[in-house]
Amino acid sequence: MEKDLAEILISSEQIMARNAELAHDIVADFQDRPTTVIILSNGAIIFGADLVRQMSIPLELDVLSAKSYTGTRSRGEVEVAQELHVSIADRHVLVVDDIFDSGLTLSKVVSQLQTHGPREIRTCVLLNKQRPREIKLQPDYIGFPVEDQFVVGYGLDYNHQYRNLPYIGVLHARLYTDTAE
Ligand code: IMP
Ligand code: MG
């Protein structure tokens, strides 16, 4: 897998250190509130699993499946499998995603969750792509800014591969079959 990468952008150690800071900030804001963390799968399962294990407060945990990408391109529409196993009515909700790109995924998920009567919804992403976007929503907690390029690892995939890399990297351009422009 490593040989497919042009560059490692963020090391495993950097991610772990930043996760601890994020968890600290989140706990400071959520403590003493009925907290529900919703991890968006598949991309955020690894980040979310590491993050919640650093959050030393009682919380309920669920996973929602959200999908918007094929290859390295957003399809511009988001599918959310709306099957929460917990009630978020009157709860303080933290939605965790891997990367904020167009912002469509998080804003669609947040607006769907709003219909379930939460007290508050905040959002956390590991990566924030530096790009212009029309979406108004801004994530409340951000791990790292990244340039507007396609990244993989630590949950992020290219056609379902590379999610298990322990760091964030950039693939060799020769591996993309759908970016010739
Ligand atoms: P958005 O809806 O455009 O903000 O896209 C967010 C989703 O697209 C994320 O949850 C990721 O799953 C996926 N995505 C966006 N950029 C990348 C990337 O650079 N690598 C891998 N997946 C990405
Ligand atoms: Mg995703």
Side-chain angles (χ1 to χ4, degrees):
M1 274 193 303
E2 282 82 5
K3 67 179 176 10
D4 295 348
L5 294 182
E7 190 188 349
I8 294 178
L9 281 184
I10 308 170
S11 71
S12 176
E13 293 73 21
Q14 287 173 300
I15 295 171
M16 293 310 154
R18 187 70 186 119
N19 283 354
E21 294 173 349
L22 286 172
H24 179 269
D25 292 349
I26 293 165
V27 164
D29 294 342
F30 279 75
Q31 65 186 341
D32 302 326
R33 297 174 180 174
T35 298
T36 303
V37 176
I38 297 178
I39 297 173
L40 301 190
S41 68
N42 295 341
I45 52 174
I46 292 178
F47 170 47
D50 282 344
L51 186 71
V52 291
R53 281 181 291 175
Q54 305 256 14
M55 291 174 53
S56 51
I57 50 170
L59 57 84
E60 293 185 359
L61 183 61
D62 206 349
V63 173
L64 262 191
S65 156
K67 197 162 183 272
S68 73
Y69 257 64
T70 310
T72 61
R73 295 204 177 144
S74 174
R75 296 199 313 271
E77 57 192 59
V78 181
E79 283 166 38
V80 183
Q82 186 53 279
E83 284 171 35
L84 279 182
H85 299 88
V86 297
S87 166
I88 59 167
D90 290 326
R91 298 189 62 91
H92 293 256
V93 175
L94 180 73
V95 180
V96 179
D97 203 5
D98 50 1
I99 188 165
F100 196 64
D101 185 11
S102 70
L104 271 177
T105 304
L106 264 188
S107 45
K108 176 141 188 207
V109 167
V110 167
S111 60
Q112 285 202 9
L113 292 175
Q114 291 290 9
T115 66
H116 290 72
R119 183 82 48 88
E120 174 195 32
I121 300 181
R122 293 188 183 212
T123 56
C124 174
V125 294
L126 179 66
L127 305 175
N128 184 24
K129 266 196 198 178
Q130 304 302 291
R131 53 163 284 183
R133 45 177 86 86
E134 283 149 34
I135 297 286
K136 282 206 206 89
L137 182 116
Q138 256 294 106
D140 298 290
Y141 309 94
I142 293 173
F144 302 90
V146 286
E147 282 173 33
D148 189 6
Q149 57 187 344
F150 196 79
V151 295
V152 296
Y154 199 65
L156 292 112
D157 72 310
Y158 173 60
N159 287 344
H160 309 291
Q161 293 188 60
Y162 305 105
R163 291 195 198 275
N164 57 325
L165 287 172
Y167 44 74
I168 302 287
V170 182
L171 285 181
H172 277 299
R174 64 179 157 76
L175 291 165
Y176 296 129
T177 53
D178 61 321
T179 50
E181 284 180 301

